[in-house]
Amino acid sequence: MAKSCNQKEKILFLMRLFQEETDALHPLSRKELEEKLLEYGIRSERKSLYNDIETLKKFGMDIAYRKERPEGYYLANHEFELAELKLLVDAVQSSRFITERKSNSLIGKIEGMASKYEAKQLQRQVVVADRIKAMNESIYYNIDKIHAAIASNQQILFQYFEWTIQKTTRLKKGGEPYQVSPWALLWDDENYYLIGFDVDAGILKHFRVDKMIGIQILEEQRAGKEEFGRFDLAHYAKKTFGMFGGEEETLRIRFHNKYIGVVIDRFGKDVSVRPDGELHFVARVEVAVSEQFFGWMAGLGKDVKILSPTYVADMYVAHLKEIAGVYGSGEQQ
């Protein structure tokens, strides 16, 4: 039989058929494989098709044959299991820092790693209450540039914006760019943050990646290596609430026993705790004291109390009184 013009591409199209159109429940018979190859303009003889399947097996594809109906060949193991792909889709769909358009694009690519039948199971919406997606489409590329700068040991230049009451953006520092040595990326509270050494300020700072615009990689090598060498990234994330900084302090806080899970989730399993009677325990934690930390405390209610240092407890009481004072005047705004 004369060979068709696409014989050299046959094994590549055959690989695509196994990856996209087969799984354990959807095998393809030899005849079906030949018919589908013919749709690509490729004629295939039985012997050559068997040889191609054997070649793909030697290449590493786990092609199996199903004897019970429906009979046929199928790819037994895709690179990712369906359960793993579902986790990836759920993570992308629910991630706040990824824009809606980029989420749809990434999910489409994830679906391409499954058979077309399994891909249908990935086409689902993850229900996340009041999910607000990022609006800065460039975050995807910001992260890539920051990683590149870290890998090449170079500084970056960028502008940084904030929101106004009119719901418009305004550049900080009057539009003057920040020159920063990037050292790490931190994902905290559903946002990406850059931990970097601010060259002008001479200190380590964190920046929300979705608020960075116009990132440029500079020729200058990174500064602040010694400062970052003393920096404990995991510890920083645990003690900083909502990534708002504050004076660092070691606190002793008394909790009801029902909050032990909350404390471990927030400060880690190695947090220092000791029983305090039958119903309470005292935790010793390092915290960046801020209004966000006080907000976390208030959310746990009356079963939580700062024992020491007393000046932080006094600050917390003053904070609560100040909030209560807004409602105590009897005025309606």
Side-chain angles (χ1 to χ4, degrees):
M1 180 184 292
K3 294 184 178 181
S4 65
C5 61
N6 291 329
Q7 282 296 307
K8 291 183 178 180
E9 293 88 354
K10 181 177 66 172
I11 198 166
L12 298 178
F13 283 108
L14 189 61
M15 179 187 294
R16 178 187 291 178
L17 287 174
F18 279 118
Q19 290 174 333
E20 296 182 357
E21 300 199 26
T22 72
D23 55 43
L25 300 178
H26 302 89
L28 290 174
S29 66
R30 177 188 58 79
K31 184 178 180 181
E32 288 172 326
L33 287 170
E34 291 176 352
E35 291 174 349
K36 288 185 176 293
L37 285 172
L38 193 58
E39 293 176 6
Y40 294 116
I42 301 173
R43 295 185 180 278
S44 179
E45 297 178 335
R46 176 184 304 199
K47 184 177 180 181
S48 67
L49 184 60
Y50 289 152
N51 289 337
D52 288 337
I53 291 175
E54 287 303 314
T55 298
L56 291 176
K57 285 183 177 181
K58 291 178 181 178
F59 178 69
M61 294 188 71
D62 188 8
I63 299 173
Y65 186 81
R66 178 186 171 112
K67 295 181 179 180
E68 62 272 18
R69 292 187 178 180
E71 297 180 27
Y73 296 92
Y74 66 96
L75 187 59
N77 287 303
H78 287 76
E79 188 172 357
F80 288 89
E81 296 179 10
L82 181 59
E84 294 172 329
L85 295 178
K86 286 180 178 179
L87 285 175
L88 292 176
V89 168
D90 288 355
V92 169
Q93 185 64 43
S94 61
S95 291
R96 181 176 178 176
F97 76 91
I98 306 177
T99 64
E100 193 67 35
R101 191 173 75 89
K102 184 56 67 175
S103 292
N104 293 335
S105 173
L106 288 173
I107 289 172
K109 292 176 181 179
I110 292 172
E111 290 174 357
M113 294 188 285
S115 71
K116 66 180 182 180
Y117 306 101
E118 293 178 332
K120 292 179 181 179
Q121 299 183 50
L122 300 175
Q123 295 168 2
R124 55 186 185 160
Q125 293 295 316
V126 179
V127 179
V128 183
D130 299 323
R131 169 63 67 229
I132 299 174
K133 288 292 230 176
M135 289 173 280
N136 184 0
E137 186 68 35
S138 65
I139 183 175
Y140 190 76
Y141 305 101
N142 285 354
I143 293 170
D144 188 55
K145 282 188 177 180
I146 293 169
H147 276 304
I150 292 174
S152 59
N153 194 36
Q154 291 173 277
Q155 297 182 25
I156 60 173
L157 198 71
F158 60 89
Q159 291 177 303
Y160 200 58
F161 73 79
E162 60 185 350
W163 289 100
T164 69
I165 193 66
Q166 291 79 26
K167 299 181 182 178
T168 59
T169 60
R170 174 177 59 207
L171 292 176
K172 300 193 74 172
K173 297 203 316 184
E176 182 182 346
Y178 289 77
Q179 185 170 342
V180 173
S181 297
W183 286 100
L185 282 167
L186 173 66
W187 189 1
D188 183 81
D189 196 25
E190 301 191 70
N191 288 300
Y192 253 120
Y193 293 88
L194 164 67
I195 307 297
F197 184 79
D198 188 315
V199 175
D200 294 329
I203 58 173
L204 285 172
K205 290 185 178 180
H206 65 258
F207 303 86
R208 274 260 302 262
V209 176
D210 60 314
K211 293 185 176 182
M212 299 166 61
I213 57 176
I215 295 179
Q216 301 176 43
I217 299 179
L218 304 177
E219 293 296 328
E220 291 96 324
Q221 290 193 340
R222 290 183 299 174
K225 183 176 181 179
E226 292 184 4
E227 288 78 358
F228 187 72
R230 298 190 294 267
F231 185 77
D232 188 329
L233 192 61
H235 183 64
Y236 182 77
K238 284 191 293 185
K239 72 183 179 184
T240 308
F241 286 72
M243 293 304 290
F244 282 84
E247 290 294 325
E248 297 181 17
E249 187 62 82
T250 300
L251 309 184
R252 290 175 58 251
I253 308 176
R254 186 172 184 258
F255 295 88
H256 190 281
N257 287 344
K258 63 184 178 182
Y259 288 129
I260 184 61
V262 174
V263 171
I264 291 175
D265 287 343
R266 175 68 246 188
F267 299 102
K269 193 175 180 180
D270 294 331
V271 62
S272 174
V273 299
R274 64 170 179 80
D276 186 26
E278 294 184 0
L279 299 178
H280 297 85
F281 67 92
V282 174
R284 182 184 178 87
V285 297
E286 293 185 33
V287 167
V289 179
S290 65
E291 291 187 354
Q292 284 65 37
F293 163 65
F294 291 153
W296 179 78
M297 287 281 297
L300 299 180
K302 60 183 179 60
D303 290 322
V304 179
K305 182 179 180 180
I306 299 173
L307 300 180
S308 68
T310 55
Y311 88 90
V312 177
D314 293 340
M315 287 173 60
Y316 181 46
V317 172
H319 176 75
L320 295 176
K321 288 181 177 179
E322 186 177 6
I323 294 174
V326 175
Y327 300 91
S329 64
E331 297 179 4
Q332 298 294 325
Q333 299 293 330

Coordinates of all heavy atoms in Angstrom, one line a residue, residues 10-53:
K10 N 2.3 10.2 11.9 CA 1.3 9.3 12.4 C 1.4 9.0 13.9 O 0.4 9.0 14.7 CB 1.3 7.9 11.6 CG 0.2 6.9 12.1 CD 0.3 5.7 11.2 CE 1.5 4.9 11.4 NZ 1.5 3.6 10.7
I11 N 2.6 8.7 14.3 CA 2.8 8.3 15.7 C 2.5 9.4 16.7 O 2.1 9.2 17.8 CB 4.2 7.7 16.0 CG1 4.3 6.9 17.3 CG2 5.3 8.8 15.9 CD1 5.5 6.0 17.4
L12 N 2.7 10.7 16.2 CA 2.4 11.8 17.0 C 0.9 12.0 17.2 O 0.4 12.3 18.3 CB 3.1 13.1 16.4 CG 4.6 13.1 16.3 CD1 5.1 14.4 15.6 CD2 5.2 13.0 17.7
F13 N 0.2 11.8 16.1 CA -1.3 11.9 16.2 C -1.8 10.8 17.0 O -2.8 10.9 17.7 CB -1.9 11.9 14.8 CG -1.8 13.2 14.0 CD1 -0.9 13.4 13.0 CD2 -2.5 14.3 14.4 CE1 -0.8 14.6 12.3 CE2 -2.4 15.5 13.8 CZ -1.5 15.7 12.7
L14 N -1.2 9.6 16.9 CA -1.6 8.5 17.7 C -1.5 8.8 19.2 O -2.3 8.4 20.0 CB -0.8 7.2 17.3 CG -1.3 5.9 17.9 CD1 -2.7 5.6 17.4 CD2 -0.4 4.8 17.4
M15 N -0.3 9.4 19.5 CA -0.1 9.8 20.9 C -1.2 10.7 21.4 O -1.7 10.6 22.5 CB 1.3 10.4 21.1 CG 1.6 10.9 22.5 SD 3.2 11.8 22.5 CE 4.4 10.6 22.1
R16 N -1.5 11.7 20.6 CA -2.5 12.7 20.9 C -3.9 12.0 21.2 O -4.6 12.3 22.1 CB -2.7 13.7 19.8 CG -3.8 14.7 20.1 CD -4.0 15.7 19.0 NE -2.9 16.6 18.8 CZ -2.9 17.5 17.8 NH1 -3.9 17.6 16.9 NH2 -1.8 18.3 17.7
L17 N -4.2 11.0 20.3 CA -5.5 10.3 20.5 C -5.6 9.6 21.8 O -6.6 9.6 22.5 CB -5.7 9.3 19.4 CG -6.0 9.8 18.0 CD1 -6.0 8.7 16.9 CD2 -7.4 10.5 18.0
F18 N -4.5 8.9 22.2 CA -4.4 8.2 23.5 C -4.6 9.2 24.7 O -5.3 9.0 25.6 CB -3.2 7.4 23.7 CG -3.2 6.1 23.0 CD1 -2.4 5.8 21.9 CD2 -4.2 5.1 23.3 CE1 -2.4 4.6 21.3 CE2 -4.3 3.9 22.7 CZ -3.4 3.6 21.6
Q19 N -3.9 10.4 24.6 CA -3.9 11.3 25.6 C -5.3 12.0 25.8 O -5.7 12.3 26.9 CB -2.8 12.4 25.4 CG -1.4 11.8 25.6 CD -0.3 12.8 25.2 OE1 -0.6 13.7 24.4 NE2 0.8 12.7 25.8
E20 N -5.9 12.4 24.7 CA -7.1 13.2 24.7 C -8.4 12.5 24.6 O -9.4 12.9 25.1 CB -7.0 14.2 23.5 CG -5.9 15.2 23.6 CD -5.9 16.2 22.5 OE1 -6.8 16.1 21.6 OE2 -5.0 17.1 22.5
E21 N -8.4 11.3 24.0 CA -9.6 10.6 23.8 C -9.8 9.2 24.4 O -10.8 8.5 24.2 CB -9.9 10.5 22.3 CG -9.9 11.8 21.5 CD -10.5 11.7 20.2 OE1 -11.4 10.8 20.0 OE2 -10.2 12.6 19.3
T22 N -8.9 8.8 25.3 CA -9.0 7.5 25.9 C -8.8 7.6 27.4 O -8.0 8.5 27.9 CB -8.0 6.5 25.4 OG1 -6.7 6.8 25.8 CG2 -8.0 6.4 23.8
D23 N -9.5 6.8 28.1 CA -9.2 6.5 29.5 C -9.7 5.1 29.8 O -10.2 4.4 28.9 CB -9.8 7.6 30.5 CG -11.3 7.8 30.3 OD1 -12.0 6.8 30.1 OD2 -11.7 9.0 30.3
A24 N -9.7 4.7 31.1 CA -10.1 3.3 31.4 C -11.6 3.0 30.9 O -11.9 1.8 30.6 CB -10.0 3.1 32.9
L25 N -12.4 4.0 30.9 CA -13.8 3.8 30.5 C -14.1 4.1 29.1 O -15.2 3.8 28.6 CB -14.7 4.6 31.4 CG -14.7 4.3 32.9 CD1 -15.6 5.3 33.7 CD2 -15.1 2.9 33.2
H26 N -13.1 4.6 28.4 CA -13.3 5.0 27.0 C -12.1 4.6 26.1 O -11.3 5.4 25.7 CB -13.5 6.5 26.9 CG -14.6 7.1 27.7 ND1 -14.5 7.5 29.0 CD2 -15.9 7.2 27.4 CE1 -15.6 7.9 29.5 NE2 -16.5 7.7 28.5
P27 N -12.0 3.2 25.9 CA -10.9 2.7 25.0 C -11.3 2.9 23.6 O -12.5 3.2 23.2 CB -10.9 1.3 25.4 CG -12.3 0.9 25.8 CD -12.8 2.2 26.5
L28 N -10.3 2.8 22.7 CA -10.6 2.8 21.3 C -10.1 1.5 20.7 O -8.9 1.1 20.9 CB -9.8 4.0 20.6 CG -10.3 5.4 21.0 CD1 -9.4 6.5 20.4 CD2 -11.7 5.6 20.4
S29 N -10.9 0.9 19.9 CA -10.5 -0.3 19.2 C -9.5 0.0 18.1 O -9.3 1.2 17.7 CB -11.7 -1.0 18.6 OG -12.3 -0.2 17.5
R30 N -8.9 -1.1 17.5 CA -8.0 -0.9 16.4 C -8.7 -0.2 15.3 O -8.1 0.8 14.7 CB -7.4 -2.2 16.0 CG -6.5 -2.1 14.8 CD -6.1 -3.4 14.2 NE -7.3 -4.2 13.9 CZ -8.0 -4.1 12.7 NH1 -7.6 -3.2 11.8 NH2 -9.0 -4.8 12.4
K31 N -9.9 -0.6 15.0 CA -10.6 0.0 13.8 C -10.9 1.5 14.1 O -10.8 2.3 13.2 CB -11.9 -0.8 13.6 CG -12.7 -0.3 12.4 CD -14.0 -1.1 12.2 CE -14.8 -0.6 11.0 NZ -16.0 -1.4 10.8
E32 N -11.3 1.8 15.4 CA -11.6 3.2 15.7 C -10.3 4.1 15.6 O -10.4 5.2 15.2 CB -12.2 3.3 17.1 CG -13.6 2.7 17.2 CD -14.1 2.6 18.6 OE1 -13.3 2.3 19.5 OE2 -15.3 2.8 18.8
L33 N -9.2 3.5 16.0 CA -8.0 4.2 15.9 C -7.6 4.5 14.4 O -7.2 5.6 14.1 CB -6.8 3.4 16.5 CG -6.8 3.4 18.1 CD1 -5.8 2.4 18.6 CD2 -6.5 4.8 18.7
E34 N -7.8 3.5 13.6 CA -7.6 3.7 12.2 C -8.5 4.8 11.6 O -8.1 5.6 10.8 CB -7.8 2.4 11.4 CG -6.7 1.3 11.8 CD -7.0 0.0 11.1 OE1 -8.1 -0.2 10.5 OE2 -6.1 -0.9 11.1
E35 N -9.8 4.8 12.0 CA -10.7 5.7 11.5 C -10.4 7.1 11.9 O -10.5 8.1 11.1 CB -12.1 5.4 11.9 CG -12.7 4.1 11.3 CD -14.0 3.7 11.9 OE1 -14.4 4.3 12.9 OE2 -14.7 2.8 11.3
K36 N -9.9 7.3 13.1 CA -9.6 8.6 13.7 C -8.3 9.1 13.0 O -8.2 10.3 12.7 CB -9.5 8.6 15.2 CG -10.8 8.5 15.9 CD -10.7 8.6 17.4 CE -12.1 8.5 18.0 NZ -12.9 9.7 17.7
L37 N -7.4 8.2 12.8 CA -6.2 8.7 12.0 C -6.5 9.1 10.6 O -5.9 10.0 10.1 CB -5.1 7.5 12.0 CG -4.4 7.2 13.3 CD1 -3.6 5.9 13.2 CD2 -3.5 8.4 13.7
L38 N -7.5 8.4 10.0 CA -7.9 8.8 8.7 C -8.5 10.2 8.6 O -8.4 10.9 7.6 CB -8.9 7.8 8.2 CG -9.2 7.8 6.7 CD1 -7.9 7.6 5.8 CD2 -10.3 6.7 6.3
E39 N -9.1 10.6 9.7 CA -9.6 12.0 9.8 C -8.5 13.0 9.7 O -8.7 14.2 9.3 CB -10.4 12.2 11.1 CG -11.6 11.4 11.2 CD -12.3 11.5 12.6 OE1 -11.9 12.3 13.4 OE2 -13.3 10.8 12.8
Y40 N -7.3 12.6 10.1 CA -6.1 13.5 10.0 C -5.4 13.3 8.6 O -4.3 13.8 8.4 CB -5.1 13.2 11.1 CG -5.5 13.5 12.5 CD1 -5.7 12.6 13.4 CD2 -5.8 14.9 12.8 CE1 -6.1 12.9 14.7 CE2 -6.2 15.2 14.1 CZ -6.4 14.2 15.0 OH -6.8 14.5 16.3
G41 N -6.0 12.5 7.8 CA -5.4 12.2 6.5 C -4.3 11.1 6.5 O -3.5 11.1 5.6
I42 N -4.4 10.3 7.5 CA -3.3 9.2 7.7 C -4.0 7.9 7.6 O -4.8 7.5 8.3 CB -2.6 9.4 9.0 CG1 -2.0 10.8 9.2 CG2 -1.6 8.3 9.2 CD1 -1.4 11.0 10.5
R43 N -3.5 7.1 6.6 CA -3.9 5.7 6.4 C -3.0 4.8 7.3 O -1.8 5.1 7.3 CB -3.9 5.3 5.0 CG -5.0 6.0 4.1 CD -5.0 5.5 2.7 NE -6.0 6.2 1.9 CZ -7.3 6.0 1.9 NH1 -7.8 5.0 2.7 NH2 -8.1 6.7 1.2
S44 N -3.6 3.8 7.9 CA -2.7 2.9 8.7 C -3.1 1.5 8.5 O -4.2 1.1 8.5 CB -3.0 3.3 10.2 OG -2.2 2.5 11.1
E45 N -2.0 0.7 8.4 CA -2.2 -0.8 8.3 C -2.2 -1.4 9.7 O -1.6 -0.8 10.6 CB -1.1 -1.4 7.5 CG -1.1 -1.0 6.0 CD 0.1 -1.6 5.2 OE1 1.1 -1.9 5.9 OE2 0.0 -1.7 4.0
R46 N -2.8 -2.5 9.8 CA -2.9 -3.2 11.1 C -1.6 -3.4 11.8 O -1.3 -3.1 12.9 CB -3.7 -4.5 11.0 CG -3.7 -5.3 12.3 CD -4.3 -6.6 12.2 NE -5.7 -6.5 11.6 CZ -6.6 -7.5 11.7 NH1 -6.3 -8.6 12.3 NH2 -7.8 -7.4 11.1
K47 N -0.6 -4.0 11.0 CA 0.7 -4.3 11.5 C 1.4 -3.0 12.0 O 2.1 -3.0 13.0 CB 1.5 -5.1 10.5 CG 2.8 -5.5 11.0 CD 3.6 -6.4 10.0 CE 4.9 -6.8 10.5 NZ 5.7 -7.6 9.5
S48 N 1.4 -2.0 11.1 CA 2.1 -0.8 11.5 C 1.5 -0.1 12.7 O 2.2 0.5 13.5 CB 2.1 0.2 10.3 OG 0.8 0.7 10.0
L49 N 0.2 -0.2 12.9 CA -0.5 0.4 14.0 C -0.1 -0.3 15.3 O 0.2 0.3 16.3 CB -2.0 0.3 13.9 CG -2.8 1.0 15.0 CD1 -2.5 2.5 15.0 CD2 -4.3 0.8 14.7
Y50 N 0.0 -1.7 15.2 CA 0.5 -2.4 16.4 C 1.9 -2.0 16.7 O 2.3 -1.9 17.9 CB 0.4 -3.9 16.1 CG -1.0 -4.5 16.1 CD1 -1.3 -5.6 15.3 CD2 -2.0 -3.8 16.8 CE1 -2.6 -6.1 15.3 CE2 -3.3 -4.4 16.8 CZ -3.6 -5.5 16.0 OH -4.9 -6.0 16.0
N51 N 2.8 -1.9 15.7 CA 4.2 -1.5 15.9 C 4.2 -0.1 16.6 O 5.1 0.1 17.5 CB 4.9 -1.5 14.6 CG 5.2 -2.9 14.1 OD1 5.1 -3.9 14.8 ND2 5.4 -3.0 12.8
D52 N 3.4 0.8 16.1 CA 3.4 2.2 16.7 C 3.0 2.2 18.1 O 3.5 2.9 19.0 CB 2.4 3.1 15.9 CG 3.0 3.4 14.5 OD1 4.2 3.3 14.3 OD2 2.2 3.7 13.6
I53 N 2.0 1.3 18.5 CA 1.5 1.2 19.9 C 2.7 0.7 20.7 O 2.9 1.2 21.9 CB 0.3 0.3 20.0 CG1 -0.9 1.0 19.3 CG2 0.0 0.0 21.4 CD1 -2.2 0.2 19.3

